[in-house]
Amino acid sequence: MDTILYFYQKKEADSPLIEALRQDGYMLARLGMNVEPYRWFQQSLPHGRPMPPILTDEGRSPRGWEWFSLRNRKEWRRLNFHRRQWKKYENQINTLAAGCRANVEAMLSDMLKELSLYAGESSDCRCVYEKPVRDVLYGNGPVAEIWQRLWTIEEFTHYTELPWARRLMPQEYQPHFIVLGEAPCVPELLPQYADRMKSLRWLVEEAWAEAHSDELEDFAEYFYQEQGLAVSIETVQGRQGFGRLRVSCREPSTVLDFTGEDRILAGETAKGSIWLDMWSCEEKCRRFARRDAGIRYLSLREKWRRAQKKGYCLDTVDKNEYNT
């Protein structure tokens, strides 16, 4: 993975605001977006209204042969006049929409050209979207239609792979570890921090624990023989069990959350703990922000949202050097 494109909401921006930041082994490009279903930055796209029903003077729609009755000829001409006027309106709207769409496509093309300075053809790019931006770009409306037709870069889904999980781990962490849920990276990740652990609890779904009982036994035996640490493996009932789980600990702990659950029941988690949201759930981040629980929340998405330049700007030389 060479480049992460992080799209966030930037109200009142006139054009895509692109900021490139060199990270540990990859490039992060932050893109400030000012978009709505019918507006791409300062370019508005017209709303086409549906044709209203054509009604007679009596307030109803003509039926069957009434359209051709000679005694209704005057009214027939009036109704057809309104229909022709509406057709003219639709043609004008379509012409205007085509011009606006061309402008949006040109702006999007310029954005792609600028991004190519940071991520060449050989780069492996992935996108991460703030929810308000994603709701527009992958929702309904002309902006979404243009975006989905022209944009081909896939979304980032590698949150729980070992290299990215390791990047989320803080340099300073609490020695009491609590792991919620499972992921393929867990057996490789935890031993890297075992020399400073004082305790380790691993909570997994009951059915998963039964299916992987031999692996869990080997994992616990490794920690006991190599680190002298007794691992506590606990189970919860079903995937919804994590949503009802109250994470309790008396001492500040490092919580590795692989559940992907939005709900947080961290009221019994000791103050000073570190909560690592491995799936980077936006709703979970908002819930932590609303609560003053004395727990430090970390996620890759939050890390990218807060990223800032470290005293320098990437100029063209830097960009070309990165692409080589």
mmCIF file of all heavy atoms in Angstrom, residues 80-100:
data_model
loop_
_atom_site.group_PDB
_atom_site.id
_atom_site.type_symbol
_atom_site.label_atom_id
_atom_site.label_comp_id
_atom_site.label_asym_id
_atom_site.label_seq_id
_atom_site.Cartn_x
_atom_site.Cartn_y
_atom_site.Cartn_z
ATOM 1 N N ASN A 80 -52.419 20.698 -24.346
ATOM 2 C CA ASN A 80 -51.254 20.363 -25.150
ATOM 3 C C ASN A 80 -50.241 21.504 -25.194
ATOM 4 O O ASN A 80 -49.041 21.269 -25.308
ATOM 5 C CB ASN A 80 -51.677 19.978 -26.567
ATOM 6 C CG ASN A 80 -52.051 18.510 -26.670
ATOM 7 O OD1 ASN A 80 -51.166 17.658 -26.781
ATOM 8 N ND2 ASN A 80 -53.339 18.232 -26.607
ATOM 9 N N PHE A 81 -50.725 22.740 -25.115
ATOM 10 C CA PHE A 81 -49.806 23.879 -25.031
ATOM 11 C C PHE A 81 -48.949 23.759 -23.774
ATOM 12 O O PHE A 81 -47.732 23.952 -23.811
ATOM 13 C CB PHE A 81 -50.588 25.188 -25.030
ATOM 14 C CG PHE A 81 -49.739 26.389 -24.725
ATOM 15 C CD1 PHE A 81 -48.910 26.934 -25.691
ATOM 16 C CD2 PHE A 81 -49.746 26.953 -23.446
ATOM 17 C CE1 PHE A 81 -48.112 28.036 -25.405
ATOM 18 C CE2 PHE A 81 -48.947 28.049 -23.158
ATOM 19 C CZ PHE A 81 -48.126 28.590 -24.141
ATOM 20 N N HIS A 82 -49.592 23.435 -22.645
ATOM 21 C CA HIS A 82 -48.837 23.280 -21.401
ATOM 22 C C HIS A 82 -47.845 22.123 -21.504
ATOM 23 O O HIS A 82 -46.724 22.216 -20.991
ATOM 24 C CB HIS A 82 -49.789 23.035 -20.230
ATOM 25 C CG HIS A 82 -50.541 24.258 -19.817
ATOM 26 N ND1 HIS A 82 -49.915 25.410 -19.398
ATOM 27 C CD2 HIS A 82 -51.870 24.524 -19.742
ATOM 28 C CE1 HIS A 82 -50.806 26.331 -19.093
ATOM 29 N NE2 HIS A 82 -52.018 25.813 -19.303
ATOM 30 N N ARG A 83 -48.220 21.066 -22.196
ATOM 31 C CA ARG A 83 -47.314 19.939 -22.343
ATOM 32 C C ARG A 83 -46.107 20.329 -23.195
ATOM 33 O O ARG A 83 -44.972 19.934 -22.892
ATOM 34 C CB ARG A 83 -48.059 18.759 -22.958
ATOM 35 C CG ARG A 83 -47.188 17.512 -23.056
ATOM 36 C CD ARG A 83 -47.980 16.237 -23.003
ATOM 37 N NE ARG A 83 -49.043 16.217 -23.982
ATOM 38 C CZ ARG A 83 -49.893 15.196 -24.116
ATOM 39 N NH1 ARG A 83 -49.785 14.156 -23.321
ATOM 40 N NH2 ARG A 83 -50.843 15.225 -25.026
ATOM 41 N N ARG A 84 -46.326 21.108 -24.257
ATOM 42 C CA ARG A 84 -45.200 21.547 -25.080
ATOM 43 C C ARG A 84 -44.275 22.476 -24.303
ATOM 44 O O ARG A 84 -43.052 22.414 -24.452
ATOM 45 C CB ARG A 84 -45.724 22.236 -26.341
ATOM 46 C CG ARG A 84 -46.359 21.286 -27.365
ATOM 47 C CD ARG A 84 -46.548 21.986 -28.699
ATOM 48 N NE ARG A 84 -47.446 23.145 -28.586
ATOM 49 C CZ ARG A 84 -48.769 23.084 -28.714
ATOM 50 N NH1 ARG A 84 -49.362 21.910 -28.955
ATOM 51 N NH2 ARG A 84 -49.515 24.162 -28.620
ATOM 52 N N GLN A 85 -44.881 23.346 -23.490
ATOM 53 C CA GLN A 85 -44.061 24.241 -22.673
ATOM 54 C C GLN A 85 -43.201 23.448 -21.691
ATOM 55 O O GLN A 85 -42.048 23.800 -21.451
ATOM 56 C CB GLN A 85 -44.949 25.219 -21.905
ATOM 57 C CG GLN A 85 -45.617 26.269 -22.777
ATOM 58 C CD GLN A 85 -44.582 27.175 -23.421
ATOM 59 O OE1 GLN A 85 -44.288 27.071 -24.620
ATOM 60 N NE2 GLN A 85 -44.013 28.079 -22.637
ATOM 61 N N TRP A 86 -43.759 22.406 -21.125
ATOM 62 C CA TRP A 86 -42.983 21.594 -20.183
ATOM 63 C C TRP A 86 -41.855 20.845 -20.902
ATOM 64 O O TRP A 86 -40.748 20.721 -20.361
ATOM 65 C CB TRP A 86 -43.888 20.595 -19.462
ATOM 66 C CG TRP A 86 -43.154 19.946 -18.327
ATOM 67 C CD1 TRP A 86 -42.534 18.744 -18.328
ATOM 68 C CD2 TRP A 86 -42.928 20.519 -17.034
ATOM 69 N NE1 TRP A 86 -41.934 18.520 -17.125
ATOM 70 C CE2 TRP A 86 -42.155 19.587 -16.303
ATOM 71 C CE3 TRP A 86 -43.308 21.718 -16.423
ATOM 72 C CZ2 TRP A 86 -41.769 19.813 -14.989
ATOM 73 C CZ3 TRP A 86 -42.917 21.941 -15.120
ATOM 74 C CH2 TRP A 86 -42.152 21.010 -14.412
ATOM 75 N N LYS A 87 -42.125 20.393 -22.116
ATOM 76 C CA LYS A 87 -41.082 19.729 -22.882
ATOM 77 C C LYS A 87 -39.938 20.695 -23.182
ATOM 78 O O LYS A 87 -38.758 20.327 -23.128
ATOM 79 C CB LYS A 87 -41.681 19.184 -24.183
ATOM 80 C CG LYS A 87 -40.747 18.288 -24.973
ATOM 81 C CD LYS A 87 -40.451 17.018 -24.219
ATOM 82 C CE LYS A 87 -39.596 16.083 -25.050
ATOM 83 N NZ LYS A 87 -39.251 14.835 -24.320
ATOM 84 N N LYS A 88 -40.283 21.924 -23.475
ATOM 85 C CA LYS A 88 -39.268 22.947 -23.726
ATOM 86 C C LYS A 88 -38.434 23.183 -22.465
ATOM 87 O O LYS A 88 -37.205 23.315 -22.527
ATOM 88 C CB LYS A 88 -39.950 24.247 -24.162
ATOM 89 C CG LYS A 88 -38.987 25.372 -24.497
ATOM 90 C CD LYS A 88 -39.750 26.613 -24.953
ATOM 91 C CE LYS A 88 -38.808 27.766 -25.272
ATOM 92 N NZ LYS A 88 -39.559 28.983 -25.688
ATOM 93 N N TYR A 89 -39.104 23.230 -21.331
ATOM 94 C CA TYR A 89 -38.392 23.396 -20.042
ATOM 95 C C TYR A 89 -37.430 22.234 -19.811
ATOM 96 O O TYR A 89 -36.272 22.432 -19.418
ATOM 97 C CB TYR A 89 -39.413 23.482 -18.902
ATOM 98 C CG TYR A 89 -38.847 23.138 -17.541
ATOM 99 C CD1 TYR A 89 -38.088 24.055 -16.818
ATOM 100 C CD2 TYR A 89 -39.071 21.880 -16.973
ATOM 101 C CE1 TYR A 89 -37.574 23.725 -15.579
ATOM 102 C CE2 TYR A 89 -38.562 21.547 -15.738
ATOM 103 C CZ TYR A 89 -37.811 22.469 -15.039
ATOM 104 O OH TYR A 89 -37.307 22.146 -13.818
ATOM 105 N N GLU A 90 -37.882 21.005 -20.067
ATOM 106 C CA GLU A 90 -37.016 19.845 -19.862
ATOM 107 C C GLU A 90 -35.800 19.890 -20.765
ATOM 108 O O GLU A 90 -34.687 19.534 -20.348
ATOM 109 C CB GLU A 90 -37.809 18.557 -20.115
ATOM 110 C CG GLU A 90 -38.821 18.238 -19.017
ATOM 111 C CD GLU A 90 -39.527 16.927 -19.272
ATOM 112 O OE1 GLU A 90 -39.686 16.560 -20.464
ATOM 113 O OE2 GLU A 90 -39.919 16.252 -18.295
ATOM 114 N N ASN A 91 -35.970 20.323 -22.015
ATOM 115 C CA ASN A 91 -34.829 20.431 -22.922
ATOM 116 C C ASN A 91 -33.820 21.460 -22.427
ATOM 117 O O ASN A 91 -32.603 21.253 -22.523
ATOM 118 C CB ASN A 91 -35.308 20.805 -24.327
ATOM 119 C CG ASN A 91 -36.080 19.674 -24.996
ATOM 120 O OD1 ASN A 91 -35.898 18.513 -24.662
ATOM 121 N ND2 ASN A 91 -36.945 20.017 -25.953
ATOM 122 N N GLN A 92 -34.322 22.581 -21.905
ATOM 123 C CA GLN A 92 -33.422 23.603 -21.364
ATOM 124 C C GLN A 92 -32.653 23.073 -20.161
ATOM 125 O O GLN A 92 -31.446 23.321 -20.019
ATOM 126 C CB GLN A 92 -34.239 24.845 -20.985
ATOM 127 C CG GLN A 92 -34.812 25.602 -22.169
ATOM 128 C CD GLN A 92 -35.741 26.729 -21.749
ATOM 129 O OE1 GLN A 92 -36.247 26.747 -20.620
ATOM 130 N NE2 GLN A 92 -35.983 27.652 -22.664
ATOM 131 N N ILE A 93 -33.362 22.353 -19.281
ATOM 132 C CA ILE A 93 -32.711 21.783 -18.099
ATOM 133 C C ILE A 93 -31.641 20.776 -18.517
ATOM 134 O O ILE A 93 -30.524 20.761 -17.968
ATOM 135 C CB ILE A 93 -33.747 21.114 -17.179
ATOM 136 C CG1 ILE A 93 -34.583 22.180 -16.463
ATOM 137 C CG2 ILE A 93 -33.073 20.201 -16.159
ATOM 138 C CD1 ILE A 93 -33.795 23.001 -15.453
ATOM 139 N N ASN A 94 -31.942 19.938 -19.498
ATOM 140 C CA ASN A 94 -30.977 18.938 -19.940
ATOM 141 C C ASN A 94 -29.741 19.590 -20.550
ATOM 142 O O ASN A 94 -28.614 19.131 -20.338
ATOM 143 C CB ASN A 94 -31.630 18.003 -20.959
ATOM 144 C CG ASN A 94 -32.678 17.104 -20.331
ATOM 145 O OD1 ASN A 94 -32.645 16.855 -19.125
ATOM 146 N ND2 ASN A 94 -33.609 16.623 -21.136
ATOM 147 N N THR A 95 -29.943 20.668 -21.322
ATOM 148 C CA THR A 95 -28.807 21.383 -21.905
ATOM 149 C C THR A 95 -27.943 22.005 -20.818
ATOM 150 O O THR A 95 -26.705 21.922 -20.854
ATOM 151 C CB THR A 95 -29.299 22.482 -22.860
ATOM 152 O OG1 THR A 95 -30.082 21.887 -23.905
ATOM 153 C CG2 THR A 95 -28.129 23.233 -23.466
ATOM 154 N N LEU A 96 -28.601 22.645 -19.837
ATOM 155 C CA LEU A 96 -27.864 23.244 -18.729
ATOM 156 C C LEU A 96 -27.125 22.186 -17.925
ATOM 157 O O LEU A 96 -25.958 22.372 -17.547
ATOM 158 C CB LEU A 96 -28.833 24.014 -17.834
ATOM 159 C CG LEU A 96 -28.244 24.681 -16.585
ATOM 160 C CD1 LEU A 96 -27.183 25.706 -16.968
ATOM 161 C CD2 LEU A 96 -29.346 25.335 -15.761
ATOM 162 N N ALA A 97 -27.780 21.054 -17.657
ATOM 163 C CA ALA A 97 -27.162 19.981 -16.882
ATOM 164 C C ALA A 97 -25.940 19.423 -17.595
ATOM 165 O O ALA A 97 -24.927 19.113 -16.963
ATOM 166 C CB ALA A 97 -28.181 18.879 -16.610
ATOM 167 N N ALA A 98 -26.020 19.298 -18.921
ATOM 168 C CA ALA A 98 -24.883 18.768 -19.681
ATOM 169 C C ALA A 98 -23.666 19.682 -19.542
ATOM 170 O O ALA A 98 -22.538 19.209 -19.372
ATOM 171 C CB ALA A 98 -25.267 18.613 -21.147
ATOM 172 N N GLY A 99 -23.886 20.996 -19.596
ATOM 173 C CA GLY A 99 -22.776 21.932 -19.430
ATOM 174 C C GLY A 99 -22.190 21.864 -18.034
ATOM 175 O O GLY A 99 -20.963 21.892 -17.860
ATOM 176 N N CYS A 100 -23.044 21.764 -17.029
ATOM 177 C CA CYS A 100 -22.571 21.686 -15.644
ATOM 178 C C CYS A 100 -21.797 20.395 -15.399
ATOM 179 O O CYS A 100 -20.762 20.387 -14.722
ATOM 180 C CB CYS A 100 -23.748 21.783 -14.681
ATOM 181 S SG CYS A 100 -24.572 23.393 -14.677
#
